[in-house]
Amino acid sequence: MDKLIVEGGNRLSGTIRISGAKNACLPILAATVLTEDECVISNVPELKDVSTMINILSSLGKKIERAGDTVKVMAGRVSNVVAEYDLVSTMRASIVVLGPLIAKYGRAKVSFPGGCIIGPRPIDLHLKGLRSLGADLKVEEGYIVASAKKLKGGRAYLGGHFGSSVLATSNTMLTAVLAVGETVIEDAACEPEVSDLAGFLTAMGADIEGAGTPTIRIRGVKNLAGASYRVIPDRIETGTYMIAAVMTDGCLFLENARPEHNLALIDKLTECGTLVSERADGVEVCRSGAPPRSTHITTLTYPGFPTDLQAQMMSLLTLTDGISVITEKIYPERFIHVSELNRMGANILLEGPTAIVKGVKDLSGAQVMASDLRASAALVLAGLVAEGRTEISRIYHLDRGYEHLEEKLTAVGANIERESE
Ligand code: EPU
C-alpha cells in the first residue's frame, strides 16, 4: 500500500489544470448501456472509480477503449445484465447501472451496495424512483433483482430525509428516458453532475427539461443513439485546490474550472478574507496576506455548501484565529477526519453532526491515516501547512477521486512524494 509524505511549509503558486468530474463521468458512462451505438466520452479523468465503472461495463459485455482522457464505448448490446458483488462492493456509484439495464433490457441484477465509512447511505430513493416507473424490484441473496415488462412514465417524488440524492435522481432519469410517456421527477437533485448527465442523454436523443432544477420533466423516446460528449470539470477537485491556495498563503489559477459551480465555497472563502477572481477560463484564488478568518459552514444539497468539501474546509478552519462551527446535513457521521486532524494539533470538538473548530496557530506533521476520499484530501491540505513531515497512509482512497494529485501539487511548489509501504 502506498503512502504520501508531505513536508509542510511551501507556498503554492502557479496554475493547476482541473480534470473532468468523477461524479459526472460515472453516470454518463453507465448511460452508454442505453444505446447499441458507439459513444465517445472525453475529459474523463484517470481514476480508480472510473476504472471500476469501465470494468462493470466490460463485465456486462460492452467493449471499451481508452486513449488519454477519451473513452470510447463500442457499438453493441450487453451480453449480461448482472453487476457482481466484487465490483459493486468497491464503489457504491455502481448502482447507477441499474436504471439503464432495466430501461434498455427489461431486467437487471445488481449487487445491493453496503454502507460505507461516511455513513449508512440507503438506496430507498433509487428503488422508489424506479418503482414509480413500473419496475418490479426484489432483494434476493444480496442482489437487487429488477424486471419490467413495460416502463411507463410517472411522477417520482425523490425528496428524502437528507434532501435530494444525486444518484437516485440520475438512476430515475436514466430509466425514464426510454419509458413510455412523461415522467416528472420532483425534488430532484440540482447538482451540476445531474445537468451534465442530462446533457449527454439529450445528445443521445433524449427529451429532458429542467435538469439543474428540482423538477425534471422527461418524455420517453423509443431509442437512443450514440453520442460524443465532453464531461464538465470537477468542482470538488477545484474546491480542494482553492482551499490549498488559501491555506498555504499562496495564489493558484485553476484552469478550466467553472466558478459558477463553486459559489458556496467562493462565498465562504471570501468571508474568510480570500481574494477570488472568476474568469472565463477558470478561477484564481489568492490569500490576502492576513490569516484567514473563522466562519460557519452547513453542508447542504446544491447550490449549498457541498459535503464533499466539508473535510477540506475543516482543515483550513483549524488555522483561523476564532471559532468555526461546521454542521453536516448530508452525512451526519462524515467526521472521520476529525481525530486525525486533532493528532496534527487541531482543536476540534465533535457534538453529533456538528464540529466546533477552535483555531490554533500551527499544525504539526504526524503519521495519519486516510479513511475516505475527501478526508484524505483534508489530511494532504493539513500536511502542506504543518510544521515538519506528515505521512499519510492508505492513500488508495485519494486515487479514487484526485487525478495526478502529487504531480499537480508538486508543479505548484508543494513538497509531496508517494512511497510504497
Ligand atoms: N439518501 C437516502 N436514500 C437514498 C439515497 C440517498 O436517504 O436512496 C440520502 C443519503 O443518506 C444522504 C443523501 O441522501 O444523506 C445523499 O446521499 P447519496 O448517497 O444519494 O449520494 P450519492 O448521490 O450516492 C453523490 C456523490 C457523493 C456525494 C453525494 C452528496 C457520486 C458518485 N457521488 O452520491 O460523492 O457526497 O452525492 O453530494 O456522485 C465523493 O465524491 O467523495 C462522494 C461521496
Side-chain angles (χ1 to χ4, degrees), residues 22-23 121-125 162 165 167 308 330-331 374:
K22 163 182 87 84
N23 290 348
R121 303 187 76 181
I123 57 160
D124 55 312
L125 297 173
F162 297 99
S165 155
L167 289 184
D308 290 342
I330 308 294
Y331 301 114
R374 309 304 173 186

Side-chain angles (χ1 to χ4, degrees), residues 315-368:
S315 276
L316 164 64
L317 295 177
T318 60
L319 289 168
T320 62
D321 59 2
I323 292 179
S324 305
V325 177
I326 302 180
T327 303
E328 177 54 70
K329 290 257 176 127
I330 308 294
Y331 301 114
E333 297 168 27
R334 193 178 203 177
F335 284 116
I336 200 84
H337 42 284
V338 167
S339 48
E340 298 302 284
L341 288 172
N342 281 343
R343 296 190 70 244
M344 296 178 73
N347 183 348
I348 309 165
L349 175 74
L350 205 49
E351 270 292 326
T354 296
I356 299 153
V357 184
K358 190 156 182 273
V360 293
K361 280 228 150 38
D362 307 293
L363 295 176
S364 69
Q367 285 177 299
V368 288

Side-chain angles (χ1 to χ4, degrees), residues 235-395:
R235 66 191 167 101
I236 305 301
E237 187 197 26
T238 305
T240 303
Y241 294 135
M242 287 168 74
I243 296 170
V246 184
M247 286 182 76
T248 62
D249 197 6
C251 198
L252 289 176
F253 177 60
L254 306 170
E255 189 184 354
N256 253 357
R258 301 263 296 266
E260 71 274 23
H261 290 167
N262 275 110
L263 293 182
L265 176 66
I266 291 175
D267 185 58
K268 285 295 162 187
L269 290 183
T270 309
E271 222 175 280
C272 292
T274 303
L275 305 170
V276 181
S277 319
E278 299 178 30
R279 296 213 212 135
D281 59 342
V283 60
E284 186 178 63
V285 182
C286 301
R287 181 145 131 193
S288 58
R293 293 189 287 269
S294 58
T295 186
H296 305 316
I297 306 273
T298 298
T299 65
L300 291 167
T301 52
Y302 190 84
F305 194 93
T307 173
D308 290 342
L309 286 173
Q310 179 256 109
Q312 301 90 314
M313 194 65 187
M314 186 181 294
S315 276
L316 164 64
L317 295 177
T318 60
L319 289 168
T320 62
D321 59 2
I323 292 179
S324 305
V325 177
I326 302 180
T327 303
E328 177 54 70
K329 290 257 176 127
I330 308 294
Y331 301 114
E333 297 168 27
R334 193 178 203 177
F335 284 116
I336 200 84
H337 42 284
V338 167
S339 48
E340 298 302 284
L341 288 172
N342 281 343
R343 296 190 70 244
M344 296 178 73
N347 183 348
I348 309 165
L349 175 74
L350 205 49
E351 270 292 326
T354 296
I356 299 153
V357 184
K358 190 156 182 273
V360 293
K361 280 228 150 38
D362 307 293
L363 295 176
S364 69
Q367 285 177 299
V368 288
M369 201 176 278
S371 51
D372 89 68
L373 171 55
R374 309 304 173 186
S376 312
L379 295 177
V380 171
L381 296 182
L384 290 173
V385 289
E387 271 175 26
R389 174 185 163 106
T390 298
E391 270 188 41
I392 307 165
S393 54
R394 299 205 182 161
I395 54 153

